[in-house]
Amino acid sequence: MNTWYASTIVALSAGIIGVFVVLRGDSFLAHAIPHGSFAGAAVAVTIGLSPVTGMGIAALLSALAMHFLGRKGRRDAVIALLLVFLLAGGAFMLSLSGDYSNEVYALLFGQVLAVTDSDLLTMSILAIVAVTLVLCMIRPLLASSIMPEQASVQGVNNNLIALLFTIVIACVTTASVPIVGAMLLFSLLVAPPAAACALAHNPIHAIMLSSIFALCCMWLSVALSVLTDLPIGFFVATSSACVYAVAKVIAHIWKH
């Protein structure tokens, strides 16, 4: 039951927050932060701490670094450089530990059947914090995502909104990576929301549709992972890509 509870939490949080990832054009950021968290998990394993704890700290620190450094230069270049550095640093730390821990491997590729009660509680808290933050700032977040220049004129602090949303992605990363894995979390944060945005013209409808798509992808992936004993990340990526492809075809047909 923990598996189904955890997958539902991951799907709903990714479905809601992923809509804003798509609207803001933050897909690369949503890809980089989970990979940055891998370095923290590797460091934690090396020094004998919980990899999930190290992952959470690294996710937050890498998110803050990408935000503040990206303000002073080309944001995509900063994110790319930090991504490569963190991945290389994580591999280096694992080589020092003498072995590649199964726990870290699970964080890379997902481990759907290893969710404990304490993991479920941590995931629930982080997901609630992330979704609550988004709901509390949904109006300025929408304005900043769709019309940033106009939002700035109306008094919206775009830099603060960007910082808070980056922290939200770090929270979702820490909550979701133990289930779907760092390598493929971004597919859940991007594909179902992008499919929803292609079909819905109202942001609220897009959020609802995105949550449904993400939930269907997640539940299907859990079932297939249990039946085949293969990493859940593969099924999440495949089902998410299929949902996006079908949505784009339907949207194209509607336009014509």
Side-chain angles (χ1 to χ4, degrees):
M1 290 308 299
N2 280 358
T3 297
W4 293 106
Y5 292 146
S7 62
T8 300
I9 292 169
V10 169
L12 291 178
S13 57
I16 293 170
I17 291 157
V19 171
F20 297 98
V21 170
V22 172
L23 291 176
R24 296 178 63 84
D26 279 341
S27 298
F28 192 23
L29 181 67
H31 170 67
I33 292 178
H35 285 71
S37 68
F38 161 70
V43 171
V45 167
T46 302
I47 63 178
L49 297 178
S50 165
V52 177
T53 300
M55 179 190 67
I57 294 172
L60 179 59
L61 293 179
S62 60
L64 293 175
M66 290 173 191
H67 171 76
F68 287 110
L69 293 177
R71 292 174 58 187
K72 300 182 181 299
R74 285 189 56 88
R75 191 164 180 261
D76 56 343
V78 169
I79 293 174
L81 289 172
L82 282 172
L83 170 61
V84 172
F85 171 76
L86 290 168
L87 279 174
F92 174 72
M93 293 304 298
L94 280 180
S95 68
L96 292 181
S97 69
D99 65 335
Y100 284 78
S101 168
N102 289 332
E103 291 178 284
V104 177
Y105 178 86
L107 291 177
L108 278 173
F109 299 101
Q111 182 57 273
V112 69
L113 298 178
V115 182
T116 64
D117 290 340
S118 60
D119 292 335
L120 187 62
L121 177 60
T122 301
M123 290 174 60
S124 301
I125 293 172
L126 289 169
I128 290 172
V129 168
V131 173
T132 301
L133 272 174
V134 166
L135 294 178
C136 287
M137 61 177 184
I138 189 166
R139 291 178 66 88
L141 180 58
L142 276 173
S144 177
S145 302
I146 299 173
M147 298 175 293
E149 294 182 359
Q150 185 176 339
S152 180
V153 172
Q154 294 176 349
V156 175
N157 189 331
N158 289 328
N159 287 330
L160 178 60
I161 293 296
L163 173 60
L164 291 175
F165 189 68
T166 303
I167 294 173
V168 164
I169 295 177
C171 289
V172 173
T173 293
T174 307
S176 305
V177 161
I179 298 298
V180 297
M183 298 294 287
L184 294 167
L185 169 61
F186 76 97
S187 64
L188 195 64
L189 277 169
V190 173
C197 290
L199 297 175
H201 300 291
N202 182 297
I204 302 302
H205 293 165
I207 290 173
M208 295 172 61
L209 197 58
S210 173
S211 299
I212 293 172
F213 287 162
L215 201 57
C216 290
C217 289
M218 211 43 218
W219 283 352
L220 176 63
S221 298
V222 169
L224 291 174
S225 179
V226 171
L227 289 174
T228 63
D229 199 30
L230 294 173
I232 188 174
F234 168 75
F235 297 112
V236 170
T238 303
S239 59
S240 297
C242 290
V243 166
Y244 176 72
V246 171
K248 291 296 288 184
V249 170
I250 294 173
H252 179 75
I253 293 173
W254 281 356
K255 288 181 179 179
H256 295 80

